[in-house]
Amino acid sequence: MSRPLSCRATSVTALLIMTSLLAWSAKEADSAGRISSWSIMQDGTPFLKYYVQAGLTAAYLGELISPLNSTQSTFGQTKLFAFNVTEGEDATSRLLGSMRGYTVQASATPDYHSVEVEVLEYNDGSLNGTISLQGIVTVGKTNEIAVVGGTGDFRGIRGYAVISFISSSDTLALYYHELFVN
């Protein structure tokens, strides 16, 4: 059974009002300088980009829980991490904050699927706050995870992040993050 015409018209009107209010609030935030660091895609979607310098030595990545069956796989292994977030690929480029969180190995196969929870602490001089991300990641691959919230200038943020592996050495793995928000 379809809804009456007046119900559908009310829904469309409410959607148009909400869209107008969101556009107005984004314009107000931009004029206040709150989203000046966000890049804007052609379709108007804001996104934030940065590099994560993932240190691979004991000082940066510590094992919290060892694998459930270390002779068979790394399943269940849990690691805590705290990495630097930079503006560019070079580890000496401008520091924008840090990425902290944990991973839990969620696959008994060699593809290394992990559940990852990250908190980005970000401050570039115009934007300041935290962004929470979570999802399933595969080491060395491009991954898409959820942006599930934030604080400060990122309060109420939702969207997704694309995490791309760039390179690694004996001591450092480099990842490129692009955050797209609704």
Side-chain angles (χ1 to χ4, degrees), residues 66-80:
S66 58
L68 298 177
N69 185 347
S70 59
T71 61
Q72 299 288 321
S73 71
T74 58
F75 182 79
Q77 181 180 46
T78 303
K79 292 188 176 185
L80 295 173

Side-chain angles (χ1 to χ4, degrees), residues 6-164:
S6 62
C7 240
R8 281 183 272 161
T10 303
S11 297
V12 170
T13 303
L15 181 61
L16 288 172
I17 290 171
M18 286 175 37
T19 304
S20 297
L21 285 171
L22 288 172
W24 175 80
S25 66
K27 185 177 176 185
E28 289 299 307
D30 190 29
S31 67
R34 288 186 61 216
I35 63 171
S36 61
S37 294
W38 289 93
S39 298
I40 304 295
M41 295 176 53
Q42 285 183 340
D43 68 358
T45 303
F47 73 100
L48 186 67
K49 53 189 176 182
Y50 54 87
Y51 292 87
V52 175
Q53 310 283 338
L56 301 177
T57 61
Y60 296 100
L61 188 66
E63 186 175 277
L64 178 64
I65 300 172
S66 58
L68 298 177
N69 185 347
S70 59
T71 61
Q72 299 288 321
S73 71
T74 58
F75 182 79
Q77 181 180 46
T78 303
K79 292 188 176 185
L80 295 173
F81 60 84
F83 302 135
N84 287 335
V85 172
T86 59
E87 188 172 54
E89 287 187 34
D90 192 284
T92 61
S93 68
R94 185 171 87 137
L95 187 65
L96 299 174
S98 65
M99 181 68 71
R100 298 176 186 163
Y102 62 90
T103 62
V104 179
Q105 182 72 27
S107 173
T109 61
D111 56 8
Y112 296 105
H113 290 304
S114 294
V115 174
E116 186 161 300
V117 176
E118 308 176 348
V119 177
L120 168 64
E121 189 174 6
Y122 189 90
N123 185 353
D124 68 0
S126 65
L127 290 172
N128 185 12
T130 65
I131 299 174
S132 296
L133 304 106
Q134 65 185 29
I136 301 289
V137 297
T138 303
V139 173
K141 305 266 182 171
T142 298
N143 295 282
E144 184 175 305
I145 63 174
V147 173
V148 295
T151 65
D153 290 329
F154 306 109
R155 186 175 296 119
I157 192 172
R158 296 284 188 272
Y160 67 97
V162 176
I163 301 172
S164 302

